[in-house]
């Protein structure tokens, strides 16, 4: 069985570029991705990040969906504690009305930023995070048909049943997704430690729902493909630098690749980045194929979502094109619910 492959895009802003250029690049990539047979194109909510342009995620989703025709477009994700559930229901009800049958709503409970910025977004951090399960239920309610006597409704949104996903990097998110009977997307591309435990828990305790009758897991993985291993590894240094700069408290625009990453970071920084970015496939098409197949053999996801923060837009396009070409060489084996 050929596994569906999707794209997670942060609308990266390369060093010296602007958000306008990032949005043009994202639309260009989405249009190519549609031609190349990718399944979904998701955008992620981040704030106060100089290298990420997708803060107003719903607006960027509209930009991408309006410039494409068939590919599913959605959020990977909307950080729900930053928002009122009614506002998100209205936004995604609007998107689903404009682009019927093509919109996904992925929800996360992290702030998508640092603590200071999260306070500016939420005002009340503790209450917002603690209410996440209740907020998800409230949001789902707004997508149902309006009940007699219902005082508050999402217009548009009511009755549209926008497909909802839970995103996460922990056992909490896996357990909640299973309890609510929702598809689950795990952020293994930057938080691999709990991945296998989260998969086992989600599949073991999953309860069918109106939306989904069996577990469905999508896993994130960093993929950088190029003609040779060396070229791909060089492009990958942009992500390695970005991650290290973030940990240094100096987030910035996506830096250009460098020839020797070991001249950039300390041994401790290298060890941390290597652990965090473990779920990555970087190299020639042959190397990437082996990496992806090994990952599939261990985790048995229902879908992959790949991301690639590559400095050069043409190289980024080429990387995703190469992955689309090798997709037919990958085989997925269905996981048992108790795996």
């Amino acid at each position: 069985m050929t596994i569906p492959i999707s794209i997670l895009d942060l609308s990266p802003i390369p060093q010296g570029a602007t958000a306008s250029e990032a949005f043009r690049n994202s639309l260009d990539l989405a249009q190519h991705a549609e031609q190349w047979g990718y399944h979904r194109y998701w955008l992620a909510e981040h704030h106060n990040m100089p290298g990420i342009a997708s803060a107003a995620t719903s607006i960027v989703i509209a930009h991408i969906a309006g410039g494409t025709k068939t590919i599913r477009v959605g959020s990977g994700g909307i950080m729900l504690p930053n928002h009122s559930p009614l506002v998100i229901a209205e936004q995604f009800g609007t998107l689903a009305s404009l682009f019927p049958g093509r919109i996904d709503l992925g929800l996360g409970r992290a702030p998508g930023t640092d603590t200071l910025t999260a306070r500016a977004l939420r005002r009340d951090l503790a209450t917002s995070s603690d209410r996440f399960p209740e907020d998800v239920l409230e949001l789902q309610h707004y997508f149902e048909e309006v009940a007699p006597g219902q005082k508050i409704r999402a217009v548009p949104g009511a009755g549209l049943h926008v497909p909802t996903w839970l995103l996460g990097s922990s056992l909490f998110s896996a357990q909640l997704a299973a309890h609510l009977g929702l598809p689950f997307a795990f952020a293994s591309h930057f938080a691999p430690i709990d991945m296998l435990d989260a998969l086992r828990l989600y599949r073991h305790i999953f309860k069918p729902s109106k939306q989904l009758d069996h577990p469905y897991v999508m896993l994130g993985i960093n993929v950088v493909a190029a003609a040779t291993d060396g070229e791909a590894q060089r492009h990958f240094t942009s992500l390695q630098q970005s991650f290290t700069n973030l940990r240094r408290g100096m987030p910035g625009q996506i830096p250009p690749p460098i020839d020797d990453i070991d001249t950039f970071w300390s041994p401790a920084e290298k060890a941390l980045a290597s652990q965090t970015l473990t779920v990555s496939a970087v190299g020639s098409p042959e190397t990437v194929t082996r990496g992806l197949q090994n990952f599939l053999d261990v985790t048995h996801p229902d879908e992959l979502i790949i991301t690639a923060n590559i400095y050069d837009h043409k190289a980024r396009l080429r990387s995703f094109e190469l992955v689309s070409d090798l997709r037919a060489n990958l085989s997925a084996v269905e996981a048992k619910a108790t795996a």
Side-chain angles (χ1 to χ4, degrees), residues 128-318:
S128 298
S129 298
D130 292 344
R131 279 195 51 83
F132 181 68
E134 292 81 3
D135 285 348
V136 172
L137 289 173
E138 180 183 344
L139 177 52
Q140 287 185 294
H141 173 69
Y142 290 131
F143 290 137
E144 299 289 336
E145 282 75 12
V146 176
Q150 184 174 329
K151 299 295 185 181
I152 302 174
R153 63 188 68 183
V155 183
L160 294 182
H161 304 283
V162 177
T164 304
W165 292 64
L166 284 194
L167 280 58
S169 57
S170 69
L171 301 184
F172 176 91
S173 301
Q175 185 172 1
L176 182 59
H179 177 72
L180 297 179
L182 295 176
F184 181 47
F186 192 84
S188 36
H189 59 293
F190 69 83
I193 293 177
D194 289 331
M195 176 184 66
L196 293 177
D197 287 339
L199 291 179
R200 281 190 288 267
L201 179 64
Y202 171 74
R203 288 166 172 157
H204 183 64
I205 67 172
F206 179 86
K207 298 179 180 179
S209 67
K210 292 180 183 178
Q211 180 177 331
L212 192 64
D213 62 5
H214 62 278
Y216 192 95
V217 175
M218 179 161 61
L219 296 179
I221 180 169
N222 302 291
V223 180
V224 178
T228 66
D229 287 352
E231 182 184 351
Q233 289 288 349
R234 188 173 187 276
H235 287 309
F236 190 55
T237 63
S238 292
L239 176 59
Q240 292 171 317
Q241 292 175 81
S242 293
F243 172 81
T244 303
N245 285 333
L246 182 63
R247 290 297 181 267
R248 290 173 178 174
M250 302 185 307
Q253 295 181 325
I254 308 303
I258 54 179
D259 292 326
D260 186 0
I261 187 66
D262 286 332
T263 63
F264 172 78
W265 53 20
S266 69
E269 289 172 333
K270 178 179 181 178
L272 179 59
S274 298
Q275 181 187 55
T276 303
L277 303 177
T278 295
V279 179
S280 301
V282 180
S284 67
E286 294 77 12
T287 299
V288 168
T289 300
R290 286 195 300 272
L292 290 176
Q293 189 62 61
N294 289 340
F295 185 64
L296 293 175
D297 292 342
V298 170
T299 58
H300 308 295
D302 300 284
E303 187 172 337
L304 287 178
I305 187 163
I306 67 175
T307 185
N309 274 12
I310 297 173
Y311 172 80
D312 180 74
H313 180 59
K314 290 183 178 179
R316 191 165 180 247
L317 284 177
R318 182 57 178 155

Side-chain angles (χ1 to χ4, degrees), residues 7 35 43 53 72 78 125 142 201 239 249 261:
I7 292 176
Q35 297 171 8
L43 296 125
R72 298 193 66 87
I78 290 290
L125 294 182
Y142 290 131
L201 179 64
L239 176 59
I261 187 66

Side-chain angles (χ1 to χ4, degrees), residues 28-186:
D28 187 40
L29 174 57
Q31 290 170 337
H32 280 88
E34 187 171 69
Q35 297 171 8
W36 294 330
Y38 282 94
H39 188 48
R40 310 177 202 272
Y41 195 96
W42 279 10
L43 296 125
E45 177 184 348
H46 290 78
H47 299 278
N48 197 24
M49 299 284 189
I52 298 175
S54 55
T57 315
S58 299
I59 298 176
V60 187
I61 289 172
H63 171 62
I64 299 300
T68 53
K69 297 178 180 178
T70 58
I71 194 169
R72 298 193 66 87
V73 187
S75 60
I78 290 290
M79 302 297 108
L80 187 56
N82 295 340
H83 310 277
S84 154
L86 177 59
V87 168
I88 297 304
E90 292 171 340
Q91 289 178 2
F92 277 77
T94 300
L95 289 167
S97 298
L98 290 169
F99 311 104
R102 296 180 54 207
I103 300 299
D104 299 321
L105 172 55
L107 300 171
R109 71 183 181 111
T113 189
D114 58 87
T115 303
L116 186 63
T117 307
R119 193 172 301 280
L121 287 163
R122 300 183 185 181
R123 306 298 182 185
D124 186 353
L125 294 182
T127 303
S128 298
S129 298
D130 292 344
R131 279 195 51 83
F132 181 68
E134 292 81 3
D135 285 348
V136 172
L137 289 173
E138 180 183 344
L139 177 52
Q140 287 185 294
H141 173 69
Y142 290 131
F143 290 137
E144 299 289 336
E145 282 75 12
V146 176
Q150 184 174 329
K151 299 295 185 181
I152 302 174
R153 63 188 68 183
V155 183
L160 294 182
H161 304 283
V162 177
T164 304
W165 292 64
L166 284 194
L167 280 58
S169 57
S170 69
L171 301 184
F172 176 91
S173 301
Q175 185 172 1
L176 182 59
H179 177 72
L180 297 179
L182 295 176
F184 181 47
F186 192 84

